[in-house]
Amino acid sequence: MKNNIIICGDSIVYGVGDNSEKGGWANRLKGIFDKENNGKNNKNYVHSIGFPSAKTTDIVARFENICEALHFEGTNEMIILSIGVNDTQFNGEQISDDALKIFEENIRTLIDIAKRYSKNILFVGLTRVGQDDDEKPFKWKDGKFFDNRIIGNFDERLKEICNENECEYLSTANLLSAGQLKDGLHPNETGHFLLCNEVYKKIRELYIQPEENIIR
């Protein structure tokens, strides 16, 4: 059976931070599965759509149309979502009180939409930022901050909602070090390679019989 993989998310899905010609973890994943195609009888289709600066609210507004456009009837379809870090961004001293609630509602909405198209739904957990001091938030730009403690809280709720709704969740909390971040927020070439490797292995483990577990 043919495999149809739909990947949707933010700037990390788009490939920001990967200055190599491979263009980010999602595009790297496409390259890996493309190698298994023979040009005449493709068995893998990988579509990735990333929206730089997107929050879950932005993806909710687009997600139905994305799934409808990329859905491939009769395939082993997988939907991979990587979104949420931007929801944790805050201005000034603290994040707004309703940010986590909005995030939770949006994740549930995304799951509801995804389930109309596939039973194979995987959320990539939230990556951490390069925060030098646990007590001081990471300053991304003027007036814009991230804090790994806040990211951790959102990530934990994402994991819980996935469990409640029988969706798969892939933790990336300890995957990337500060040296594997291009700008303190986005993975660099090595970081994208590591993300691609973990998502690839998870897809093989969950949805496709393993053929090759080493990415070169």
Side-chain angles (χ1 to χ4, degrees):
M1 178 179 286
K2 296 179 185 292
N3 300 304
N4 190 48
I5 304 173
I6 300 170
I7 307 169
C8 186
D10 53 23
S11 57
I12 297 180
V13 169
Y14 185 81
V16 173
D18 187 350
N19 291 336
S20 75
E21 73 282 359
K22 296 187 176 179
W25 74 261
N27 197 53
R28 288 165 178 265
L29 193 70
K30 181 179 185 297
I32 293 166
F33 282 107
D34 279 350
K35 288 181 180 178
E36 299 178 8
N37 297 330
N38 61 21
K40 294 182 178 180
N41 185 28
N42 291 355
K43 64 178 181 178
N44 300 303
Y45 301 92
V46 181
H47 318 272
S48 67
I49 300 182
F51 300 92
S53 302
K55 297 183 179 182
T56 52
T57 299
D58 301 307
I59 301 302
V60 165
R62 298 171 169 86
F63 194 52
E64 181 80 53
N65 289 336
I66 290 170
C67 290
E68 184 65 31
L70 301 178
H71 175 64
F72 197 154
E73 194 70 38
T75 64
N76 177 35
E77 193 151 276
M78 293 155 254
I79 296 177
I80 301 173
L81 284 151
S82 178
I83 188 69
V85 173
N86 289 322
D87 289 62
T88 73
Q89 181 181 284
F90 60 96
N91 300 320
E93 295 300 321
Q94 60 186 7
I95 194 167
S96 64
D97 293 337
D98 60 350
L100 181 57
K101 180 179 179 181
I102 292 171
F103 171 78
E104 293 170 349
E105 292 173 349
N106 286 337
I107 293 298
R108 292 190 176 95
T109 299
L110 291 171
I111 290 172
D112 289 342
I113 295 171
K115 283 186 173 181
R116 299 174 200 161
Y117 297 91
S118 177
K119 63 179 180 180
N120 303 322
I121 302 167
L122 170 64
F123 278 83
V124 178
L126 278 57
T127 53
R128 303 309 194 254
V129 297
Q131 191 170 341
D132 296 330
D133 186 341
D134 290 342
E135 300 301 319
K136 294 182 179 180
F138 168 71
K139 183 179 180 181
W140 166 235
K141 294 179 179 179
D142 287 343
K144 297 182 179 180
F145 298 88
F146 291 92
D147 190 311
N148 283 330
R149 291 170 296 184
I150 295 173
I151 294 174
N153 291 338
F154 277 64
D155 196 31
E156 185 61 31
R157 285 301 295 137
L158 173 61
K159 180 179 179 181
E160 291 169 357
I161 293 170
C162 286
N163 289 336
E164 292 165 6
N165 290 274
E166 299 181 334
C167 296
E168 297 293 339
Y169 163 86
L170 172 63
S171 176
T172 64
N174 300 310
L175 181 63
L176 305 179
S177 67
Q180 292 155 349
L181 298 172
K182 177 72 175 179
D183 50 14
L185 177 61
H186 302 96
N188 60 18
E189 180 178 347
T190 300
H192 276 281
F193 168 84
L194 293 171
L195 277 167
C196 175
N197 194 32
E198 290 303 304
V199 175
Y200 174 78
K201 289 190 293 184
K202 197 69 172 178
I203 290 173
R204 288 293 185 189
E205 172 193 335
L206 295 172
Y207 307 130
I208 305 174
Q209 288 299 315
E211 295 178 0
E212 180 68 51
N213 286 325
I214 299 176
I215 300 177
R216 301 184 186 281

